[in-house]
């Protein structure tokens, strides 16, 4: 996966299509990203003790990385990520403006 923790992404599909957010967790094995403010579900927590109130908590669920595109920090567009290899160094580049990410 080419998206890393701390990247800003834009959702391309799903209920949060068009939303942008910061990646807070990457799961490379399953190809899932957890993105701040994206794919939030409300969960109703039941009261555990008597006299306690039930509450609604917001849970951020991971999204498929294929539904997200990186937002280039240089041109601020949602872009695909290219790779540039210089010697034994690999760096990510923006396919739109060519900036190193
Ligand atoms: Zn760019």
């Amino acid at each position: 996966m080419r998206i890393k923790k701390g990247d800003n992404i834009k959702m391309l599909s799903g209920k949060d299509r068009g939303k942008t957010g910061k990646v807070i967790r990457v799961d490379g094995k399953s190809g899932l990203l957890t993105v701040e403010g994206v794919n939030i579900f409300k969960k109703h927590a039941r009261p555990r003790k008597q006299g306690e109130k039930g509450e609604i908590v917001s849970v951020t669920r991971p999204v498929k990385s294929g539904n997200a595109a990186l937002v280039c920090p240089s041109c601020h567009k949602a872009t695909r990520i290219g790779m540039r290899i210089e010697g034994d160094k690999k760096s990510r580049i923006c396919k739109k403006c060519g900036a190193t990410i």
Side-chain angles (χ1 to χ4, degrees):
M1 178 152 31
R2 287 172 178 183
I3 292 171
K4 289 178 186 167
K5 192 177 163 183
D7 284 344
N8 278 303
I9 60 95
K10 184 173 189 174
M11 291 308 295
L12 301 176
S13 59
K15 75 175 179 99
D16 285 325
R17 187 176 164 186
K19 262 196 193 174
T20 54
K22 194 177 171 190
V23 177
I24 46 178
R25 212 175 82 88
V26 173
D27 188 338
K29 262 189 205 159
S30 53
L32 294 173
L33 307 167
T34 308
V35 187
E36 220 169 50
V38 170
N39 212 23
I40 292 171
F41 281 80
K42 294 250 158 61
K43 204 166 129 186
H44 297 261
R46 291 180 172 277
R48 290 202 187 102
K49 288 178 214 151
Q50 236 180 1
E52 217 175 61
K53 275 185 190 162
E55 51 180 352
I56 300 168
V57 257
S58 296
V59 187
T60 309
R61 289 204 192 147
V63 294
K64 282 185 195 139
S65 65
N67 292 340
L70 184 83
V71 176
C72 171
S74 174
C75 63
H76 305 288
K77 283 177 190 157
T79 182
R80 287 190 299 133
I81 304 166
M83 297 299 273
R84 184 190 283 149
I85 299 162
E86 282 162 23
D88 53 1
K89 259 193 186 172
K90 258 193 208 171
S91 52
R92 300 185 303 165
I93 55 160
C94 167
K95 286 252 187 184
K96 283 191 175 149
C97 69
T100 306
I101 301 164

